Structures are given as structure tokens and as C-alpha cells.
Amino acid sequence: MKSTASSRRTTARALLATGILTSLALTGCTKSEDSSDDKATEQQADAGQEVASPSAGSGPSCTIDTFGGEKLDLKNATVGFSQSEKEANPFRIAETASIKAEAKKRGIKLLTANAQSQFSKQISDVQDLIAKGADVLVVAPLNSDGWEPVLKTAAAKHIPIVTVDRKINAEACKDYVSFIGSDFVEQGKRAADQMIEATGGKGEIAILLGAAGNNVTTERTKGFVDQIKAEAPGLKVVFQQTGEFAREKGQSVTENLIQSKPGIKGIYAENDEMGLGAVNALKGAGKKAGDVKIVTIDGTRNAVQGIVDGWISGVVESNPRFGPLAFQTLDSFTKGDEVAQDIVIKDTEYTEANAESDIAKAY
């Protein structure tokens, strides 16, 4: 068996946007989107996390002329932000806070909406943002499909759209400008490397799948499964079921799992919330920390603390602090500069070796 954990830690890629030349140190927040306290977007801690430095000449690009629109000064524009999920997940809290903080820093008028995990509401939310005068849009999509009504309306008004953290199934530089997010296949591979190391590469393992209908779930699953097959044939995936990216669902699925597969050796949870739900289920079943190896993706403080406490073996980060890069991308694009169609951010990871020392970097 060959482990590639060390090499995977250094292979986070960046597809790059022309005209943006600085690394961005991104920071988090602990308050929800619905807080009326203006300081909610200012309570940023130096998390030590950054987006890969964009530079010229890598990957397909887009310009406002190609997209079909007119140049504008972002400082005088209205930006609409559509959040997909309820502000119960630390990832969403940090993501929204980052968008708000950057808009405030730049003095840009920002309109926000939260779909509360309802896709039909997100479609109507974005239509409403357009009706209220949004000149550009930043969208965190709930699903990858079903965006045709929004794209049609936005195209009629030549409104640029940047998607963050999930892709939509549409044509870049025609239906939308750019996607900004992690390399989800690579995240899955890195999670597999952590699972191989934690289990010794042998035994039965389970996958708590994310929500259906988006590229994150599909790609994190592919990366993990492909890497396990290639590097650790002694590990067998014997259970896959969606936990819908939710802690409660992750707990209930794991409760069923340990009843049906009492010898399970490892659980790969495609986000931290499901992984923390799995921890609750194992505790409820009288398991001890480390009896079942858990690997997750996100990088929330609770999950990193889970490593310190011995319940979680490893966490692959998925950085939610998109504000600086999203606005810098829109600023460059609306000025007429080229931007990349895919901008992949750099994520770190947490293990037993660094969890305690680096927990302050988590969100």
C-alpha cells in the first residue's frame, strides 16, 4: 500500500484570474447573517488562511466584452448576494460575514437574501435582487441545476454573476462569469489519504454523502472513492448514504450504520457537520474516541477540536471566506480586465500533528 498523504498536502491548485495580483488573507466571523449588529461583519480574527494568488495566463478566461456587458465602477454599483442555506452551519456564517465585511470595507451597497435551504426560494430571491437593482450578483448556489430562469433574466440585463463554493451547470463567460471555490475532487483525495493513514489501509468504511444535486457532493465522493481504490484496496466502502450536510441527519444515519455494520472501521463525512453528528452517534452507542476513525471536510472549530479530543482523525479545510476574492474578481471584470472562469482557492488541512496549535485558524 502506498500512501500519498504528504504529496496531496502540497497539490492544492489554483486556476487563475488575470489582473488580480495579490494574495488575499481571509478571515472569519462568529455572528450570523441575521444579526442587526453592524460589528457582526467586523469581528474578524486572523485565521491565517488565504486564497491562492491569482495571476495572468492560466486556464480559460472571460472579459466583459466577451460576456456582453458594459464597464462600470464597482464602487457605484449595487451588489446582490444570495446565500443558499440557513445560518446554522459555521461555513455559511463565515461565508456571509466575509461577503458583508468586504462590501463594507469597499463602501459598496450590498443587498442580501437567504434561501433557508429551499431552492425555489433561492431562485425567487435572486430574481428579487435583480428587481431591486442589483448590477452584479454573487451567488452561493444550493443546487447546480435549475438556474435557467435566473440566467435568462440576468442575461437580458447583462448582469454579471459570480458563483462561490458550488458550481452551476451552465456555460462560463456566457451564463455566468466565474466560479470561485475549492477543488472538491482534490479534497476527496486528501480525505482518502487521511483515512488510509488513520486506518492503516484495511477494513470496512462508510461515506456520509452530502446533499444531492450539487457538484460538491459528486466531486468529493469521486475523489475519495478513486483514491481509496488506487492507494488502499484493503479498504472497502460498504455503506453510502446522504446526511444532507446536516449534523442531525449525520447522527441518525450513523446510528443506523453502526447497527447494520457493527464492525465499521472508518467514516468519511463530506462535511464537518455530518462528522460531528457521527461523533454524537458513536458516543451514544458507548464507543470510545478513536474506535471508529472519522475524516471530514470543512475546517470548523468544532471539528478541529474533535481531533484534539481524539474523536476525529483528520479534517480537510474548505475555506468559506470568499468576500475579498469575490469582490476583487468583480472589480477587475467590471473594469474590463480578464478574469479566470474557474478560480480555485488554496485549502489547508488539520491532523493530530497540528490541530491543537492551529485551531485558531479554523472558523
Side-chain angles (χ1 to χ4, degrees), residues 59-140:
S61 61
C62 186
T63 66
I64 199 164
D65 290 337
T66 305
F67 180 78
E70 296 181 0
K71 296 179 184 179
L72 59 87
D73 185 348
L74 198 62
K75 291 181 179 179
N76 299 321
T78 298
V79 177
F81 172 60
S82 171
Q83 178 58 275
S84 58
E85 297 179 10
K86 299 175 182 178
E87 295 290 337
N89 185 328
F91 183 98
R92 298 298 166 186
I93 295 171
E95 181 177 60
T96 297
S98 180
I99 296 291
K100 285 186 170 181
E102 188 65 17
K104 184 172 184 179
K105 176 182 176 181
R106 291 172 174 263
I108 294 172
K109 181 180 180 181
L110 180 70
L111 304 175
T112 64
N114 190 306
Q116 300 293 310
S117 303
Q118 301 171 45
F119 186 61
S120 60
K121 184 177 185 305
Q122 185 167 38
I123 295 299
S124 62
D125 280 351
V126 180
Q127 298 277 29
D128 188 52
L129 290 172
I130 294 173
K132 289 179 177 178
D135 300 298
V136 295
L137 293 167
V138 178
V139 177

Side-chain angles (χ1 to χ4, degrees), residues 9 190-191 194-195 197-198 267 272 275-276 279 283 288-317 348-360 362:
R9 293 188 184 103
R190 294 169 73 191
Q194 290 192 344
M195 182 64 75
E197 187 169 339
I267 297 172
D272 286 354
L276 292 167
V279 169
K283 288 180 177 178
K288 296 180 181 179
D291 283 351
V292 178
K293 307 302 182 183
I294 299 175
V295 173
T296 72
I297 297 178
D298 264 354
T300 64
R301 290 201 178 200
N302 286 337
V304 179
Q305 184 63 48
I307 300 177
V308 176
D309 296 339
W311 284 96
I312 295 176
S313 297
V315 176
V316 177
E317 183 198 45
T348 186
E349 64 184 28
Y350 300 93
T351 65
E352 292 180 4
N354 69 352
E356 189 167 7
S357 61
D358 288 356
I359 193 168

